[in-house]
Amino acid sequence: MPGIDKLPIEETLEDSPQTRSLLGVFEEDATAISNYMNQLYQAMHRIYDAQNELSAATHLTSKLLKEYEKQRFPLGGDDEVMSSTLQQFSKVIDELSSCHAVLSTQLADAMMFPITQFKERDLKEILTLKEVFQIASNDHDAAINRYSRLSKKRENDKVKYEVTEDVYTSRKKQHQTMMHYFCALNTLQYKKKIALLEPLLGYMQAQISFFKMGSENLNEQLEEFLANIGTSVQNVRREMDSDIETMQQTIEDLEVASDPLYVPDPDPTKFPVNRNLTRKAGYLNARNKTGLVSSTWDRQFYFTQGGNLMSQARGDVAGGLAMDIDNCSVMAVDCEDRRYCFQITSFDGKKSSILQAESKKDHEEWICTINNISKQIYLSENPEETAARVNQSALEAVTPSPSFQQRHESLRPAAGQSRPPTARTSSSGSLGSESTNLAALSLDSLVAPDTPIQFDIISPVCEDQPGQAKAFGQGGGNVFYSFGKEVWHLKIYNTPCSVIDSILHQLFIVRFLGSMEVKSDDHPDVVYETMRQILAARAIHNIFRMTESHLLVTCDCLKLIDPQTQVTRLTFPLPCVVLYATHQENKRLFGFVLRTSSGRSESNLSSVCYIFESNNEGEKICDSVGLAKQIALHAELDRRASEKQKEIERVKEKQQKELNKQKQIEKDLEEQSRLIAASSRPNQASSEGQFVVLSSSQSEESDLGEGGKKRESEA
């Protein structure tokens, strides 16, 4: 049996949107199981009803056969042989009727009982737990809202104690209910297999017992198969019991370990503040203005991704960009008499956001994390060590970090020192010249030196402008080609992108991040390194605009299509795509390497790596490209085989024509020889008027000869 997918019970307390999304998948699976099992139950109930009807019909047949001798047929007479024969059949069928009755009883116990129990007990238990969990989740949200509205200036110990106790009770109830709900959903994956296999096993065993009543000669192979199924059911049952015991133990351990975490503001002595973070995630209350003086607070899940602050509502599959926090400022503020508030202001001061943390610990950690990200420490090789070295414990206010140009000037070597020139942007440049040289050394083995980065897609109007196409043809140093250049490559590789008759048509929404020339195209590390370079360059230079396109994957090519105008922006011939891979951690990022000709000669090839961002479909896109290449390969092999077969048929047809022509020539020669022989025979008459008597055969031959001469003269 393959492995069982499980819900992570350990993550129930965090209750992140990812956990809720995974829970939604399991709930959809439970609904699908319920619908399928209802259909299977109806089918098996029809079998049970049919078996009961068969048993009754068999018994009636036996009874009618017994009464045959009592019948008085006008023309039948007393046939003792027929009567005795039917009596014997009556006994056999009566025994079969008894066997059918036993089979009906066995079907009721072994087939109908397990599936009925699963339908009436296990599936209803899942529905009950789902309702209880929904109520507990709503109570917890209400308690959190009341706690968030506690006044900072007018603190009332009694009210604060009641609200805190309410949060503690509701959170504990939600956590416990959620853990038991997760346990039931995980157990359902085992019970589903048992509920499918056990009734089928009971059905087959009942049939075998039925046949064994009439014959002991049973197929040993079938017995072995059913024995294996029975063993498998037992193994699944034992595995389920073991896993249930493990999950119950995990629930008990988590209940004990998570008890201090139920309090919204934990003791800072037990849970110290970590000021060296460069990544953080958690729930925050965001202030949204609804008027000049009025505002609302929305609770959402926030997380950092590179130099961006992302927000994600509960139930959403992916988060969206809330704010760019590179070179931003963050400080603690007092807002609307709420505790633990802080404000983030963008680098240009045009955008600001006020957020509220749940506890003092989260409040300080969020400020320190955003401060570290603002200094672009996340671009270094060891972010936490760098943050620990440069962070000065700014708890109340954080100022913007120096710009990238100022840090670059501070790290520039003295006038008497020499430094190797480089045109690339290194993600570890803020750590010193030594780490920069090491990064450049590892990068040079994958990426060509002096390589520019293209962050946008060139418009396809270049195809109709000869001057621009000529300029691209002469500029051998730039590896970023326009649409017209790509069409010229289509002519080189002789792979016209005709997507009308293509077998595969798959469309994906992608965003172009950038492209750059690479030195190698035989290892996925090339794609990973290019992703790192482009993302680092975007973050350092504050480039967050991305061109959204539709990527069409066919068996001939890859096309980037404008979603508004449906105009093809770029076309990549599929034979030129030599490497494709997704990011090892962020599966939304993927890239491929396109091997193209950098001049008029096909021997002078260069490789360009294109990087895109998708909607959690990176692996699916790579699988689609791989499938397209396989289909294209098989199509090419089939085409070659077809051409070879046609060539063989043409040779055979030519040989057959030559043979028919030769036969016709031989036939014509034989006919001509026969006519000549017939015309050369002399007349048999004498000169003195006497005639020679000819036989009948000779007369016929003479007539034939004269007829041949006549035809020859006419010809």
Side-chain angles (χ1 to χ4, degrees):
M1 290 287 178
I4 302 297
D5 295 328
K6 301 175 185 176
L7 283 167
I9 300 179
E10 296 83 1
E11 298 178 8
T12 51
L13 181 58
E14 182 181 359
D15 193 20
S16 64
Q18 287 79 5
T19 306
R20 285 296 181 103
S21 298
L22 186 59
L23 174 61
V25 175
F26 273 73
E27 289 177 344
E28 291 179 3
D29 183 73
T31 304
I33 291 173
S34 177
N35 295 334
Y36 178 78
M37 294 305 294
N38 286 332
Q39 298 177 6
L40 186 61
Y41 172 82
Q42 295 176 1
M44 290 186 174
H45 202 279
R46 291 181 62 185
I47 294 176
Y48 176 67
D49 293 340
Q51 181 59 42
N52 289 334
E53 182 65 21
L54 180 61
S55 177
T58 307
H59 179 72
L60 179 61
T61 302
S62 174
K63 181 179 179 182
L64 290 175
L65 292 177
K66 287 181 180 179
E67 295 175 355
Y68 177 80
E69 60 182 3
K70 299 179 181 180
Q71 300 298 322
R72 295 291 181 263
F73 298 103
L75 300 178
D78 295 332
D79 192 348
E80 296 181 356
V81 176
M82 178 61 71
S83 297
S84 61
T85 303
L86 292 181
Q87 288 294 325
Q88 187 66 26
F89 272 111
S90 174
K91 293 180 181 179
V92 175
I93 296 177
D94 190 33
E95 293 176 0
L96 290 177
S97 175
S98 302
C99 295
H100 282 297
V102 174
L103 178 58
S104 299
T105 305
Q106 291 178 347
L107 289 178
D109 296 337
M111 183 180 71
M112 296 304 302
F113 177 76
I115 193 171
T116 303
Q117 192 178 31
F118 176 78
K119 177 175 174 290
E120 300 294 333
R121 184 186 66 182
D122 299 327
L123 294 179
K124 287 185 178 180
E125 178 186 6
I126 294 295
L127 295 177
T128 304
L129 286 174
K130 182 179 180 180
E131 296 175 357
V132 174
F133 167 71
Q134 191 63 40
I135 294 173
S137 178
N138 295 336
D139 293 344
H140 176 256
D141 292 340
I144 286 294
N145 289 332
R146 289 194 298 272
Y147 176 80
S148 300
R149 292 195 298 269
L150 282 177
S151 175
K152 181 179 179 182
K153 296 180 180 179
R154 301 187 301 273
E155 280 196 356
N156 188 332
D157 294 337
K158 182 178 180 181
V159 174
K160 180 180 178 181
Y161 174 78
E162 292 176 355
V163 173
T164 304
E165 188 66 24
D166 190 15
V167 172
Y168 172 85
T169 304
S170 61
R171 182 170 291 178
K172 184 176 182 179
K173 180 180 178 182
Q174 179 191 358
H175 187 211
Q176 293 176 350
T177 305
M178 195 173 186
M179 287 191 294
H180 288 287
Y181 186 33
F182 278 23
C183 178
L185 288 175
N186 291 340
T187 308
L188 183 64
Q189 300 301 314
Y190 296 97
K191 292 181 178 180
K192 173 185 69 174
K193 295 187 177 183
I194 295 175
L196 286 172
L197 296 177
E198 199 169 20
L200 298 177
L201 180 63
Y203 172 78
M204 296 302 299
Q205 288 179 341
Q207 294 291 344
I208 289 176
S209 177
F210 167 74
F211 288 117
K212 279 187 175 180
M213 293 179 186
S215 174
E216 295 297 329
N217 298 325
L218 185 65
N219 192 346
E220 296 181 358
Q221 185 177 1
L222 181 60
E223 285 185 342
E224 183 179 356
F225 170 74
L226 296 176
N228 292 336
I229 295 296
T231 304
S232 177
V233 171
Q234 295 300 324
N235 292 337
V236 172
R237 187 179 295 278
R238 285 193 294 268
E239 186 178 353
M240 180 190 70
D241 295 339
S242 175
D243 206 7
I244 289 176
E245 183 178 355
T246 303
M247 288 189 291
Q248 293 293 341
Q249 184 63 36
T250 303
I251 291 175
E252 294 176 2
D253 296 340
L254 289 176
E255 286 179 349
V256 175
S258 303
D259 190 72
L261 299 177
Y262 296 144
V263 181
D265 198 356
D267 188 359
T269 59
K270 296 181 180 179
F271 302 95
V273 177
N274 187 356
R275 307 182 188 279
N276 303 326
L277 298 174
T278 56
R279 291 186 300 176
K280 186 168 177 61
Y283 281 99
L284 295 173
N285 292 329
R287 180 174 178 267
N288 298 319
K289 283 190 175 182
T290 57
L292 294 176
V293 294
S294 60
S295 61
T296 60
W297 293 81
D298 297 330
R299 188 168 183 261
Q300 288 189 347
F301 187 83
Y302 284 83
F303 61 95
T304 61
Q305 186 177 33
N308 299 327
L309 179 65
M310 314 293 287
S311 64
Q312 184 175 2
R314 181 177 292 178
D316 290 348
V317 178
L321 178 64
M323 193 174 184
D324 173 22
I325 54 178
D326 261 339
N327 294 326
C328 70
S329 63
V330 56
M331 63 183 68
V333 295
D334 293 331
C335 183
E336 297 183 4
D337 197 22
R338 287 190 174 228
R339 303 182 302 166
Y340 310 135
C341 294
F342 59 95
Q343 179 176 353
I344 308 172
T345 305
S346 61
F347 176 74
D348 53 8
K350 295 181 179 179
K351 185 177 182 181
S352 63
S353 179
I354 297 178
L355 303 173
Q356 180 190 17
E358 188 176 294
S359 63
K360 183 177 181 180
K361 173 178 178 293
D362 284 345
H363 177 255
E364 296 182 4
E365 284 186 350
W366 273 108
I367 291 178
C368 294
T369 301
I370 296 174
N371 181 33
N372 295 334
I373 295 175
S374 173
K375 296 177 181 179
Q376 298 182 349
I377 297 176
Y378 66 94
L379 297 176
S380 60
E381 293 183 356
N382 297 313
E384 292 190 2
E385 294 181 4
T386 306
R389 190 164 59 249
V390 301
N391 189 7
Q392 300 300 324
S393 302
L395 301 178
E396 299 299 329
V398 181
T399 58
S401 64
S403 65
F404 175 78
Q405 182 64 25
Q406 293 173 352
R407 293 201 311 274
H408 182 72
E409 294 294 338
S410 65
L411 295 175
R412 179 174 295 175
Q417 297 178 354
S418 62
R419 184 175 182 180
T422 177
R424 291 184 302 274
T425 303
S426 175
S427 62
S428 59
S430 60
L431 298 178
S433 60
E434 181 180 357
S435 60
T436 303
N437 292 335
L438 291 176
L441 180 60
S442 61
L443 179 63
D444 287 341
S445 62
L446 299 176
V447 181
D450 301 329
T451 303
I453 298 177
Q454 178 180 329
F455 296 109
D456 203 352
I457 299 175
I458 299 176
S459 175
V461 297
C462 309
E463 184 181 8
D464 300 329
Q465 298 178 3
Q468 292 184 6
K470 183 178 180 181
F472 279 108
Q474 294 175 353
N478 193 345
V479 297
F480 307 105
Y481 307 111
S482 68
F483 181 78
K485 188 71 174 179
E486 294 297 338
V487 171
W488 183 68
H489 284 306
L490 279 177
K491 295 178 180 178
I492 289 176
Y493 289 93
N494 195 20
T495 56
C497 187
S498 175
V499 299
I500 299 177
D501 299 328
S502 180
I503 300 176
L504 182 66
H505 285 82
Q506 289 190 346
L507 196 67
F508 304 94
I509 299 176
V510 298
R511 290 168 290 280
F512 181 70
L513 295 178
S515 63
M516 60 190 302
E517 185 176 357
V518 295
K519 295 176 65 175
S520 174
D521 56 11
D522 56 355
H523 198 277
D525 289 341
V526 177
V527 181
Y528 304 150
E529 183 62 27
T530 306
M531 289 179 182
R532 189 182 70 84
Q533 288 293 310
I534 292 177
L535 292 178
R538 278 181 168 269
I540 291 175
H541 297 291
N542 295 326
I543 302 174
F544 295 101
R545 185 178 65 86
M546 294 181 290
T547 303
E548 183 171 285
S549 303
H550 289 170
L551 178 63
L552 178 64
V553 180
T554 69
C555 300
D556 300 322
C557 60
L558 308 181
K559 276 193 173 185
L560 284 181
I561 303 174
D562 189 294
Q564 280 80 26
T565 63
Q566 300 300 315
V567 175
T568 300
R569 289 173 171 167
L570 285 179
T571 303
F572 307 102
L574 194 61
C576 301
V577 179
V578 296
L579 181 66
Y580 46 90
T582 58
H583 196 275
Q584 293 172 314
E585 296 180 358
N586 188 358
K587 299 302 182 183
R588 294 189 303 169
L589 299 179
F590 75 97
F592 59 83
V593 178
L594 188 74
R595 185 182 296 169
T596 59
S597 175
S598 59
R600 295 294 183 181
S601 176
E602 296 186 11
S603 61
N604 190 9
L605 299 178
S606 63
S607 300
V608 181
C609 185
Y610 294 84
I611 304 301
F612 296 88
E613 182 187 35
S614 64
N615 299 331
N616 293 324
E617 294 180 337
E619 291 183 343
K620 187 183 294 185
I621 294 175
C622 289
D623 293 340
S624 179
V625 174
L627 178 60
K629 292 184 76 68
Q630 291 181 4
I631 293 175
L633 176 61
H634 288 297
E636 179 65 19
L637 294 177
D638 292 342
R639 185 187 63 80
R640 293 180 181 179
S642 178
E643 289 181 354
K644 186 176 180 181
Q645 184 64 27
K646 289 181 179 178
E647 183 66 25
I648 294 174
E649 291 178 356
R650 284 197 296 268
V651 172
K652 289 183 178 179
E653 184 178 357
K654 185 177 180 181
Q655 292 177 352
Q656 185 65 31
K657 288 182 178 179
E658 292 291 338
L659 183 60
N660 294 337
K661 185 177 180 181
Q662 186 67 26
K663 289 182 178 179
Q664 185 64 31
I665 292 174
E666 293 178 356
K667 184 177 180 181
D668 293 341
L669 290 175
E670 290 179 358
E671 182 67 20
Q672 187 175 2
S673 300
R674 189 178 64 80
L675 293 175
I676 293 172
S679 62
S680 63
R681 292 178 180 177
N683 292 325
Q684 298 296 325
S686 64
S687 60
E688 295 180 355
Q690 296 180 357
F691 297 92
V692 179
V693 180
L694 300 177
S695 62
S696 61
S697 60
Q698 290 176 343
S699 300
E700 291 176 358
E701 289 178 0
S702 177
D703 294 338
L704 288 174
E706 292 177 355
K709 287 181 180 180
K710 185 177 181 181
R711 286 193 299 270
E712 185 177 0
S713 62
E714 291 177 355

